[in-house]
Amino acid sequence: MLVDTHCHLHLLERPPEEVVAEARAEGVGHLVDVGVDLASSRLAAANAARLANVSATAGVHPHDAVTLDDRVLGELRALLADERVVAVGETGLDYYRDRSPRPVQRAAFAAHVRLARELDKALVVHNREAFADVLAVLDGEGAPARVVFHCFTGDERAAARVVEAGWFVSFAGTVTFRNAPEQRAACASVPLDQLVLETDSPFLSPHPYRGRPNHPARVAVTAATVAAVHGVPVEEVADRTTGSAARAFRLRLAAG
């Protein structure tokens, strides 16, 4: 069984029920539906409540960091009281698009870090061209026990820093791109017991589907690349990354 640890069901064109069924037919037995603002976090929590083999996260993306106030934070806290809402985020820093001012991003990220630590939830981190500041916030606030670096695109040195801290590294379809040998090198350096898989659906479809809308079933394509990079059977990647996902998010996974 495979786990897609990061998808956005509210952004897909088809109903979540169809997406989940299709993924299961491809061996993807569990999905984590990720919120990026209060509205999508509510939808993700509702999906997790009514759909088997779906968990949720609740958080505000750095693009929308300006929207995080005490009211929103309180509503996120209420959503996270549900055990099916397994992580805080997607949160972090994005210095590539800078859709919220950087000081506001850092303050919002710090608030998410504190919330994850307070509630003993995993923290889903978005990092784009901001790795040093992401680490500074995590170190300054005191990182929660379980941190997942979503859609990792750093080099081997950055991967080593995440692994050394005991955190999890998540690879998406970008690791399959022909022009991404540095990502495959970083992937090869990450122990499978600290590696998880994701699609970031509907974004980042793996090769040869690049440019088309992504969906959770395609996590199997990324798993095949990870297997090739690590020189192990894809069945081993499925088994060990599923174990990593279960530990990272404290998932209750159905057999088969």
Side-chain angles (χ1 to χ4, degrees), residues 10 44-45 49 70 72 98 121 136 156 160 165 187 206 208 210 250 255:
H10 70 284
D70 288 343
V72 172
D98 277 326
K121 298 279 185 171
E156 290 179 71
C187 178
R210 188 173 182 180
R250 291 183 180 161

Side-chain angles (χ1 to χ4, degrees), residues 158-173:
R161 176 66 176 84
V162 175
V163 168
E164 180 184 17
W167 302 329
F168 294 86
V169 185
S170 183
F171 287 96

Side-chain angles (χ1 to χ4, degrees), residues 35-118:
V36 294
D37 54 22
L38 182 56
S40 60
S41 296
R42 288 170 174 159
L43 289 172
N47 285 334
R50 67 189 181 85
L51 297 173
N53 308 314
V54 174
S55 299
T57 79
V60 174
H61 193 284
H63 289 342
D64 297 312
V66 292
T67 69
L68 188 72
D69 56 20
D70 288 343
R71 179 190 66 83
V72 172
L73 200 60
E75 295 203 39
L76 293 176
R77 181 181 281 104
L79 289 173
L80 287 154
D82 189 331
E83 66 178 4
R84 291 165 292 197
V85 183
V86 295
V88 175
E90 164 180 5
T91 181
L93 303 175
D94 192 310
Y95 290 177
Y96 178 72
R97 298 198 183 276
D98 277 326
R99 289 181 179 169
S100 285
R102 292 182 182 185
V104 175
Q105 290 189 49
R106 290 191 289 270
F109 182 33
H112 283 82
V113 173
R114 292 192 295 270
L115 187 60
R117 195 178 64 246
E118 172 194 336

